[in-house]
Amino acid sequence: MKQPETTLPLAYRLGIDTGHEPVIFLRSESPVARSEGFESMSRITVEVNDRKLLATLMIVYSELLEPGHAGLSEKAWRELKVKPGERLKLSHAPQIESLAFIRAKAFGHKLNRKQYNCVIRDIVDGLYMNVHLASFITACANGGLEPDEIVYLTEAMVNTGQRLEWDADIVVDKHCIGGLPGNRTSPIVVSILAANGLTIPKTSSRAITSPAGTADVMETMTNVDFTFEDLKSIVKETGGCLAWGGSVSLSPSDDILITVEKALDIDFEGQLIASILSKKIAAGSDRVLIDIPVGKTAKMRSKAAAEALSEQLVNTGKKLGIIVKVVLTDGSQPIGNGVGPALEAQDVLSVLRNEPHAPQDLKERALSLAGNLLELAEHVPVGRGYKLALDTLKSGQACKKFMQICMSQGGFCEPRTSSCTYAINTKTKAVISEIDNRQLARLAKLAGAPADKTAGIYLHAKVGDTVDVDQPLLTIHADSPGELEYALNYYLEHSDMILLKDVQ
Amino acid sequence: MKQPETTLPLAYRLGIDTGHEPVIFLRSESPVARSEGFESMSRITVEVNDRKLLATLMIVYSELLEPGHAGLSEKAWRELKVKPGERLKLSHAPQIESLAFIRAKAFGHKLNRKQYNCVIRDIVDGLYMNVHLASFITACANGGLEPDEIVYLTEAMVNTGQRLEWDADIVVDKHCIGGLPGNRTSPIVVSILAANGLTIPKTSSRAITSPAGTADVMETMTNVDFTFEDLKSIVKETGGCLAWGGSVSLSPSDDILITVEKALDIDFEGQLIASILSKKIAAGSDRVLIDIPVGKTAKMRSKAAAEALSEQLVNTGKKLGIIVKVVLTDGSQPIGNGVGPALEAQDVLSVLRNEPHAPQDLKERALSLAGNLLELAEHVPVGRGYKLALDTLKSGQACKKFMQICMSQGGFCEPRTSSCTYAINTKTKAVISEIDNRQLARLAKLAGAPADKTAGIYLHAKVGDTVDVDQPLLTIHADSPGELEYALNYYLEHSDMILLKDVQ
């Protein structure tokens, strides 16, 4: 139905953050809602000039909107790049053909390359509602994806985003399959590799279900949000970067799927592999080291499961033309002392600065990964990587490189500290026998991490350490008394997250 | 964190329809958002006096809300029964333990009775977001549910709602597994059964993915929305009812799941069986006749699939203590002439009134089902049901009973007619060889059905009929020119939905 220009509703920025899903608001009696037969929660194509997006409609039964106005959520306003005074053309959203593939997958059918391309293209184009994304994620979980389906999915994720290219013959990268609080090796590893002249364009995510992602940690010290061109010049200048992957649109479908995976608290193997490898391939890397911590409260609970995943990662990488090496590491307890963006940044800095109190487990983990990567890049013969990594750290070259990367990313500042803290002391002299990664991560999140950068947990001791009577076991850091109390209540209800054995 | 009474935000009715998911709106700088560390799209427990619900938070960055106010969506405002001037207590939503069962199901594990109870209880209590519902629905599709899982799911759905009880020894009911436009037998069948003194408390859904549900059709003639007590007195008075099931809270989880199934356009067998049987058991029925139309564009495409479903329905019924009988019927083309609420109501009335032009296929289908039900209820010996049903219809007893039920439901009015129509004529003399149910249903929906009660399609001829040159094949009915044009464009692009063979 053609709508005469003058009756088109005027775009109005309502200033509501509706998350990933764009929303359009219309008055119940608005002529366009009536003539087009729109209902609340129906899907609407919104057009302004040559820009277009699909939005969910919410009908307004109040004076919130002036007659003749159509409200837009923040996401819709930004995506459409609306200028005040512009009018919106509204129509029924088209049928989305690729939803049929999701239904097929839900019923256990295998999808082909073309079908994955359609699904991922439609996701990137914003055609899916969150419920469709949830259905796709769940459909892929059960029975998993066959090896070639993982390849198709990865390719589709790469093809629908931007792709970086480098002059270097070898481009390296690393990734850790999370689940281990405080395991913040990337800033150290990138600094060591880049200090040795290698190209390592590391982009990271923000936290998905954890108290901090590398991007959250780096953001306490420097900028992480760059355009595609900025990122290229940072890596050209320094050999590395420690940037947020979200705004450079490498594998953008992954960023969209992750928002829903977070709400579902679910991620399945095929999706995990495609997520990791698509980011690395899009970043232009061809040799990738993947760290899988194994432990009973880590993401990977058994060595067998980790080995199976490892094999899939290596084989999928091979089919996609990159070399993947996986190392299984100890995932029995957190790494470092801090859990939360700023607290982890402090750990990283103390390692890079060779400070005497620097957490040795973080240092050793980072050196081992850096050594492995130096060997994978054929920069040193096998067996000589660790030594070179250690020398690079000790000599201050790694710290210098880290600062150079931060300067190139816009400057460096020391991470801030939190405004509220609460120290939990032991009542008797005791030795720590076990730490539950999951409960500790949850504690840090209740304290406000990662949204509050300074919030989190500081562990004063680790497994095997003896803590004297009335000495601090851990300190909760929060930005508000409310969150401090939430976290404390959770700790008191789950104080076995740190298992103590009394020392006689 | 205890919040002092005076700083609690004042509830404000924003007048936004956010659908099934309640939403709370807070200004970005509101003290409670800051002290509690709330983020956009986080889940919030909203309390007012002793009422409580879980809502999704949308942060407001404009003057939409006055400082100190918290906006509520229509759903949240109604559910919380907020009175103006009341203040809201807000806190982080608790972790939902039953989501772990959904993850387990997504990975192909079997759930037990207790786990289904937890999931369904949490759904009814409003703890799930739409993405969680989508994940549950999808997780149950793949590999399906084992027979005892269907029993557990059905029981859980019954247990979480209200349950009707009747004095009668035998309580009958019918259900049709949709997919056949215009197949509106229920009003006729209920009238015949109740006219014979049987108890048939028929509650129906509104359309899910079809152009009309029985509740939508009945709503064009009488009220369908009753309290639990009202419904009891209607059935006590008349022996039957033709009511909407939604507001009497029989199997309320089903109503919630259906909203998301609609968005996903998916429904799987286990869920389908649980959905049907839970409603019937909750309505107090113990003998249920189920009509499964089979046809290549019906919901059930093959006889084998229909027979498999039929067996599962009968067996699940047995385990739940009710007698289920299934009849497979011809699903090759629509039943009756009208498709859409008011148009189907006109068909129903013409059959009940024994009008000469009444659609014979609808009449025969209804008589056959009514006859079967009379036999299932042991009201007549097997083989004598059809004759009694026909006599009841012919004598006017069925029509009288229908009017009595309508009066008991609040009165009867003739269905209205649409304001815009467009007749599609044949260009040559032709015989109709095939009608595509799915495309015809879609056409009726594009015309505005079921939201616009008078919208839909009127078929002037059916398979096997000959249509003369320039005679109408079908007429599109709509409430607005926009919808008429949408529907017409769709028809022109898919005019093979009615296959014609030229007659020489």
Side-chain angles (χ1 to χ4, degrees), chain A residues 14-15 17 59 61-62 135 138 480, chain B residues 14-15 17 35 61-62 135 138:
Chain A
L14 264 182
D17 178 1
I59 296 277
Y61 295 93
S62 66
S135 184
T138 309
S480 73
Chain B
L14 264 182
D17 178 359
S35 73
Y61 294 93
S62 65
S135 184
T138 309

Side-chain angles (χ1 to χ4, degrees), chain B residues 69 113 158 183 232 236 257 279 281 336 355 430:
Chain B
H69 282 194
R113 175 176 273 130
V158 172
N183 191 16
K232 280 201 268 194
K236 213 168 166 183
L257 286 167
K279 290 277 187 208
I281 294 169
E355 290 173 359

Side-chain angles (χ1 to χ4, degrees), chain B residues 68-90:
Chain B
H69 282 194
L72 290 175
S73 70
E74 287 302 279
K75 168 90 174 179
W77 183 270
R78 281 196 310 261
E79 289 256 310
L80 279 170
K81 300 186 180 66
V82 185
K83 285 183 270 307
E86 285 187 313
R87 289 179 183 271
L88 304 176
K89 204 178 143 227
L90 308 178

Side-chain angles (χ1 to χ4, degrees), chain A residues 14-15 17 35-37 40 59-62 64 91-92 103 106 131-132 135 138 142 263-265 442 480 483 486, chain B residues 14-15 17 35-37 40 59-62 64 91-92 95 103 106 131-132 135 138 142 263-265 480 483 486:
Chain A
L14 264 182
D17 178 1
S35 73
E36 303 288 320
S40 224
I59 296 277
V60 172
Y61 295 93
S62 66
L64 202 68
S91 54
H92 287 274
R103 285 192 290 274
V131 289
H132 301 133
S135 184
T138 309
N142 190 347
L264 297 178
D265 204 0
R442 176 135 181 87
S480 73
E483 285 163 309
Y486 271 114
Chain B
L14 264 182
D17 178 359
S35 73
E36 301 288 320
S40 224
I59 295 278
V60 172
Y61 294 93
S62 65
L64 201 68
S91 55
H92 287 275
Q95 251 196 313
R103 285 191 291 274
V131 289
H132 301 133
S135 184
T138 309
N142 190 346
L264 297 179
D265 204 0
S480 72
E483 285 163 310
Y486 271 114

Side-chain angles (χ1 to χ4, degrees), chain B residues 95-391:
Chain B
Q95 251 196 313
I96 302 163
E97 306 292 342
S98 70
L99 290 181
F101 305 144
I102 293 188
R103 285 191 291 274
K105 192 71 214 158
F107 287 105
H109 300 289
K110 192 178 155 178
L111 302 185
N112 62 30
R113 175 176 273 130
K114 204 177 144 196
Q115 290 167 326
Y116 278 106
N117 265 319
C118 288
V119 169
I120 297 298
R121 167 58 58 202
D122 285 351
I123 289 175
V124 172
D125 286 348
L127 304 191
Y128 281 26
M129 297 174 75
N130 285 339
V131 289
H132 301 133
L133 298 171
S135 184
F136 177 59
I137 290 162
T138 309
C140 291
N142 190 346
L145 303 180
E146 293 192 17
D148 48 354
E149 286 189 279
I150 302 178
V151 172
Y152 302 152
L153 177 60
T154 312
E155 286 173 346
M157 290 169 88
V158 172
N159 293 342
T160 46
Q162 297 201 76
R163 209 163 163 170
L164 289 161
E165 277 171 33
W166 310 104
D167 287 333
D169 288 338
I170 289 175
V171 179
V172 294
D173 210 337
K174 74 160 286 277
H175 184 83
C176 175
I177 292 179
L180 208 53
N183 191 16
R184 199 59 51 211
T185 56
S186 287
I188 306 167
V189 173
V190 167
S191 302
I192 293 173
L193 271 282
N196 280 289
L198 285 151
T199 301
I200 181 163
K202 172 83 183 127
T203 62
S204 307
S205 63
R206 297 191 193 275
I208 302 167
T209 54
S210 71
T214 296
D216 301 308
V217 172
M218 288 305 301
E219 206 170 27
T220 67
M221 298 178 279
T222 186
N223 301 325
V224 295
D225 190 353
F226 302 107
T227 65
F228 197 71
E229 292 309 317
D230 285 345
L231 197 76
K232 280 201 268 194
S233 77
I234 294 164
V235 177
K236 213 168 166 183
E237 190 189 328
T238 69
C241 66
L242 285 152
W244 177 48
S247 60
V248 282
S249 211
L250 305 173
S251 187
S253 59
D254 190 44
D255 304 323
I256 297 168
L257 286 167
I258 277 174
T259 61
V260 176
E261 281 167 20
K262 191 174 165 178
L264 297 179
D265 204 0
I266 201 173
D267 59 338
F268 64 92
E269 217 151 84
Q271 177 73 40
L272 180 70
I273 295 168
S275 165
I276 297 166
L277 298 185
S278 66
K279 290 277 187 208
K280 302 305 176 195
I281 294 169
S285 308
D286 52 14
R287 310 223 172 168
V288 179
L289 183 71
I290 295 173
D291 171 17
I292 307 187
V294 183
K296 76 174 187 183
T297 57
K299 188 163 189 164
M300 279 290 142
R301 299 180 195 215
S302 81
K303 202 164 166 245
E307 278 167 354
L309 175 61
S310 161
E311 200 186 315
Q312 277 202 291
L313 279 162
V314 171
N315 291 340
T316 309
K318 203 176 285 172
K319 285 185 195 155
L320 290 160
I322 63 170
I323 299 173
V324 174
K325 184 179 176 183
V326 180
V327 287
L328 307 191
T329 54
D330 175 14
S332 63
Q333 65 167 332
I335 300 291
N337 300 112
V339 178
L343 293 164
E344 293 179 33
Q346 284 152 16
D347 278 356
V348 165
L349 287 172
S350 71
V351 170
L352 284 168
R353 287 167 173 161
N354 292 302
E355 290 173 359
H357 68 272
Q360 292 303 302
D361 55 350
L362 176 64
K363 177 179 157 187
E364 285 307 320
R365 182 69 55 100
L367 287 175
S368 157
L369 293 172
N372 255 297
L373 255 184
L374 288 165
E375 294 170 8
L376 188 64
E378 295 170 46
H379 189 74
V380 285
V382 172
R384 305 264 287 277
Y386 180 87
K387 175 73 171 52
L388 178 57
L390 179 62
D391 290 346

Side-chain angles (χ1 to χ4, degrees), chain A residues 120-137:
Chain A
I120 297 298
R121 167 58 57 202
D122 285 351
I123 290 175
V124 171
D125 286 348
L127 304 191
Y128 281 26
M129 298 175 73
N130 286 338
V131 289
H132 301 133
L133 297 171
S135 184
F136 176 59
I137 291 162

